[in-house]
Amino acid sequence: MNEPAPRPTALLVMEEERRADVYPPEVLAEIDRLVHRQGPPLTRQQLDEDPDVLGRIDVLLTGWGAPVLDAAFLSHAPQLQAVLVAAGSVRHLTTPAFWARGIPIVSAAEANAIPVAEFTLAQVLLGLKQVHRITREVASSRRFPHNPKVPGAYRSRVGLMGLGHIGRLVAAHLSRFDIEILATDPIASADTARRTGVRLVGIEELFATCHVVSLHAPLLPETRGTIGARLLNSLGPGATLINTARGALIDERAAVEVLRARPDLTAVLDVTHPEPPARDSPLFTLPNVVLTPHLGGALGAERHRLGQLVLDELRRFIGDQPLQYAIDPTRAASLA
């Protein structure tokens, strides 16, 4: 009679602050049924103090505060077969040495996209009603405007910069409304646009013709500072700009100047660069800037989705099934 295959050995390494949210007890209990979990969870700093614990590890479970998968890390992990990351981006973790090993790495970006897209949807609908602008004017004048002119969610235009996980999910939410969805993304195909229900346009048309523009692009050398004075000044009267992607997509100095000169515009900034802004940043005092501290991302119980995704992928890995959310190495450089 054949002996059952030994369970893989796994180690959980991530920051302590968000660990219980990402890997709640019920998820950890199920993980422990699937693998032999070596020791208690560690932080990246604790792992740095004793990297030899990686010697017999088959699977690295991680999330925010993950270790960088460089040559030094890999030299201590000769048996490593998979890395499962209960967080969105893996760009800051992966290195050429890691990709050369051919180890699959899973990202929970799909799960993290859900609350970001929900937050974005809420802000888009508020933007189409120009709620933030009208609220400012009511507070300033202490009068209610008579029959305010707003685009509303009927035959208005919403523009998405980027059609990654989050951009596509936002488009799916918006498809339920009577609005036209435009998008700009240099790597999105016509087929992707058709399936997503958007019309691909250039970035100039996106800003000049949309009532709300929402940023969902990755931060790459070619996208850093893309949103500057020219594009912002091309926004129509009362337009809203939403950024839940990366703060450095926006040229902040230029944005401040435009927003000072255009009080009709509203910028909803859930991300900034730096984050948080410097204490003397005009972003704190400009009345037409809505600053939120990364509320779009997974918070509290929303983070359970990320750990659940990792658990589901762990089951597939152990069952020798294809991993659903493994990162394609050829596309890794273009991801957020």
Side-chain angles (χ1 to χ4, degrees), residues 109-288:
E110 290 277 2
N112 196 50
I114 294 171
V116 181
E118 292 169 346
F119 177 90
T120 301
L121 173 63
Q123 294 299 334
V124 167
L125 294 176
L126 291 174
L128 291 174
K129 284 287 191 177
Q130 298 192 4
V131 168
H132 295 302
R133 176 185 66 82
I134 293 173
T135 298
R136 294 192 300 271
E137 293 175 359
V138 167
S140 175
S141 67
R142 302 195 178 190
R143 297 172 58 189
F144 280 9
H146 174 69
N147 192 26
K149 304 299 182 184
V150 300
Y154 180 68
R155 296 186 178 179
S156 49
R157 278 185 173 179
V158 174
L160 307 177
M161 179 181 167
L163 284 178
H165 297 302
I166 299 170
R168 293 195 303 272
L169 189 51
V170 171
H173 287 324
L174 292 173
S175 67
R176 306 197 303 270
F177 300 91
D178 283 326
I179 59 176
E180 183 181 7
I181 311 167
L182 276 56
T184 184
D185 188 320
I187 66 172
S189 66
D191 184 59
T192 296
R194 180 186 56 78
R195 287 186 285 106
T196 309
V198 306
R199 179 163 68 88
L200 289 175
V201 298
I203 194 169
E204 291 81 7
E205 182 177 349
L206 192 84
F207 273 76
T209 67
C210 289
H211 302 99
V212 177
V213 174
S214 188
L215 308 185
H216 303 288
L219 180 60
L220 305 171
E222 57 269 31
T223 61
R224 182 179 292 271
T226 299
I227 314 306
R230 180 177 58 84
L231 288 174
L232 293 171
N233 270 319
S234 73
L235 288 167
T240 298
L241 175 72
I242 303 166
N243 190 8
T244 57
R246 294 289 185 265
L249 293 172
I250 297 175
D251 179 341
E252 183 179 306
R253 183 174 298 179
V256 166
E257 292 178 1
V258 172
L259 291 166
R260 276 179 176 150
R262 294 276 309 273
D264 62 297
L265 299 179
T266 298
V268 179
L269 306 180
D270 195 46
V271 289
T272 58
H273 183 73
E275 190 172 303
R279 290 179 64 86
D280 61 350
S281 171
L283 296 179
F284 285 117
T285 54
L286 279 170
N288 52 346

